[in-house]
Amino acid sequence: MKQIPRRKVLQWGVGAGAMGVLAACKPAVPQPSATTTTTKVPPPATLPPPSSTTTTSTTTTTTTLPPMTSNRTLVVIDMAGGHDGNSLAIPYGDSAYYTRRPTVSIPANQVLHLNNKIGLHPNLARVSRRPLALVEGVGHPNPDFSHSEMLRRWWFGDTDGRQFPKYGFLGRLCDVIAMPNDAATGVSLGWGPSASLAAQNAVTLSMDPSSDGKFPGYSDAGMNAAWIAAQRAMSQPDLAEAAMLFAGRTGIRTALRFSDLLTALPPSTVAYPSTTLGAQLAAAVRLLRAGAGIRIVHIPFSGDFDTHEDHLAHHGNLMTELDGALDAFLQELDGLGMTQNVLVASTSEFGRRADQNTSGLDHGTANVAFLAGAIHSGVYGQHPNWTTLDTNDNLKATVTMGDYYATLAQWMGVHPSDVLTGTTTPLPGVTL
């Protein structure tokens, strides 16, 4: 099985652009600088279209797509590290859950009950009062327990683990929905480019969530003016130049244009908690209100979800951070009348095992994803059988990664076959 080296994954996730405000989300093109973007590079004449970079199989669905619309936005909260969704959405009504996790479980009398079978973590009290959709049994059809391999599959939307797409799943969505005058179609609110937003033609980049999207410069006004003037002069590309130099100049120009359009981001209308996720979600709403064409926001949740040890304490702290930040985000969307136009979706490369180890949970398979915003609240998918496990003693996935991603694509007005391979079936009734 071909795998992406862990070092390369880390480079894509946090390496390039970590020292600057703006960075490209396009690892296929060499990065000229850690402080600039490298999008909008014309592909070579021999480069095949996006649909031919993955597989020759086709995607089939029987659902009706919503009309292509420019006011729908997808916000993806990436819980990399292997989040245990069964500790967020707790199957307290299934006795096998407590049999397999005698000390790494939440007592039924502490669970925030949604129905007589499933409920939320007690630290999600604020979120529990808001509409939420839970999708049980989400997993990859050919599971692997390597972080780097499974991150690759989820970031690139590799539906069977054997396709190795050139561009990220979110990047492919951006390529379909991008408009010519967008400052950027996709933005990752982290500290470097995200492989999931690697696009062929659309402008996708990363932005420090604590910044205002400004091009990195100097605090001294005179020196900053000279610096920006020099950058503008260097941003004029020449097709006769070498590819790397052309990419560098184009990236500078893209970053400057993005910065110019975001010179006055509107302030948040609600108070967010002083957490990393709080800053990321606050920045997300400000970007969406800026009117710069941003349609997809990727948010890498920086918590440690790889809870092999001391799971209850670590995961409880993560749920507290999620509860405060997501509640403020949904409150602001409601106040601005934007809720029906924003779909929030969680992802993680895999779940955790059904059985605990000593004090934690090892890498597993089937997970629980959550969606908020433009959704019909409820529990979707199929509850995994906690009594009968697979041959590796893991929960059996009942909703494939392809089906889950097809649901997101369909809501954005994109036919799943344009961005995914294989046969996928969007989950009915989840989104507005």
Side-chain angles (χ1 to χ4, degrees):
M1 178 178 293
K2 182 178 178 182
Q3 293 188 357
I4 303 295
R6 184 176 179 84
R7 178 173 296 179
K8 176 60 69 176
V9 172
L10 294 175
Q11 287 174 348
W12 284 346
V14 298
M19 298 177 63
V21 176
L22 303 173
C25 296
K26 194 166 185 178
V29 177
Q31 304 292 321
S33 167
T35 60
T36 62
T37 64
T38 58
T39 54
K40 286 286 189 183
V41 179
T46 57
L47 188 66
S51 60
S52 63
T53 60
T54 53
T55 183
T56 57
S57 61
T58 59
T59 298
T60 59
T61 66
T62 58
T63 53
T64 301
L65 293 178
M68 184 70 76
T69 174
S70 61
N71 64 350
R72 287 189 172 183
T73 303
L74 175 64
V75 176
V76 176
I77 300 178
D78 189 354
M79 307 165 91
H83 173 237
D84 181 48
N86 290 295
S87 291
L88 178 150
I90 301 158
Y92 76 94
D94 192 331
S95 61
Y97 162 73
Y98 292 102
T99 300
R100 295 189 179 282
R101 299 183 178 184
T103 61
V104 184
S105 57
I106 303 295
N109 62 358
Q110 296 180 20
V111 175
L112 303 175
H113 297 189
L114 298 177
N115 54 40
N116 61 0
K117 295 181 179 180
I118 195 169
L120 295 179
H121 191 283
N123 292 3
L124 294 173
R126 294 181 180 86
V127 170
S128 70
R129 296 190 288 267
R130 298 190 176 277
L132 198 69
L134 301 173
V135 183
E136 292 193 279
V138 178
H140 199 277
N142 299 307
D144 187 288
F145 302 105
S146 161
H147 284 293
S148 59
E149 171 59 16
M150 292 307 295
L151 283 170
R152 182 197 69 79
R153 295 184 193 180
W154 276 87
W155 286 343
F156 286 89
D158 187 341
T159 55
D160 65 7
R162 295 185 289 269
Q163 304 305 320
F164 296 91
K166 181 177 293 185
Y167 304 105
F169 169 69
L170 298 181
R172 297 199 295 276
L173 279 177
C174 287
D175 279 332
V176 175
I177 65 178
M179 301 298 289
N181 295 323
D182 291 348
T185 306
V187 176
S188 181
L189 290 171
W191 291 266
S194 168
S196 64
L197 276 171
Q200 182 180 27
N201 295 309
V203 175
T204 64
L205 45 80
S206 67
M207 185 184 107
D208 184 333
S210 63
S211 77
D212 285 335
K214 295 179 180 178
F215 193 89
Y218 295 89
S219 57
D220 179 84
M223 183 176 292
N224 188 67
W227 166 254
I228 295 298
Q231 294 297 318
R232 293 193 191 282
M234 289 191 296
S235 71
Q236 304 306 312
D238 184 341
L239 287 172
E241 293 177 327
M244 185 174 292
L245 185 57
F246 181 90
R249 293 188 189 278
T250 304
I252 294 172
R253 188 173 74 254
T254 300
L256 286 167
R257 180 169 181 264
F258 182 81
S259 179
D260 290 343
L261 290 176
L262 300 181
T263 53
L265 285 179
S268 298
T269 61
V270 302
Y272 283 79
S274 299
T275 61
T276 300
L277 186 61
Q280 290 169 305
L281 287 173
V285 179
R286 297 176 71 203
L287 286 176
L288 300 186
R289 295 172 61 201
I294 298 165
R295 303 284 308 285
I296 294 179
V297 180
H298 171 259
I299 297 180
F301 196 148
S302 61
D304 182 8
F305 290 95
D306 198 17
T307 52
H308 291 278
E309 299 176 348
D310 201 14
H311 171 81
L312 286 178
H314 287 314
H315 190 264
N317 291 336
L318 293 168
M319 293 302 96
T320 298
E321 182 172 357
L322 176 65
D323 189 52
L326 183 57
D327 177 66
F329 179 75
L330 295 174
Q331 178 186 344
E332 184 164 26
L333 290 184
D334 285 346
L336 295 169
M338 298 172 61
T339 302
Q340 293 190 341
N341 294 325
V342 179
L343 178 63
V344 182
S346 72
T347 61
S348 189
E349 69 267 35
F350 45 59
R352 316 300 292 186
R353 292 181 69 85
D355 292 297
Q356 68 178 68
N357 50 41
T358 303
S359 64
L361 299 166
D362 296 324
H363 300 178
T365 51
N367 212 341
V368 180
F370 69 83
L371 299 101
I375 54 94
H376 296 290
S377 60
V379 181
Y380 299 86
Q382 181 180 339
H383 180 66
N385 190 323
W386 282 72
T387 302
T388 305
L389 305 180
D390 67 13
T391 55
N392 291 316
D393 291 331
N394 275 300
L395 296 169
K396 299 176 183 178
T398 57
V399 176
T400 68
M401 180 191 78
D403 293 344
Y404 183 67
Y405 271 174
T407 307
L408 309 185
Q410 176 184 264
W411 185 80
M412 290 295 289
V414 176
H415 198 287
S417 64
D418 290 340
V419 290
L420 294 167
T421 61
T423 300
T424 63
T425 305
L427 296 167
V430 179
T431 59
L432 297 181

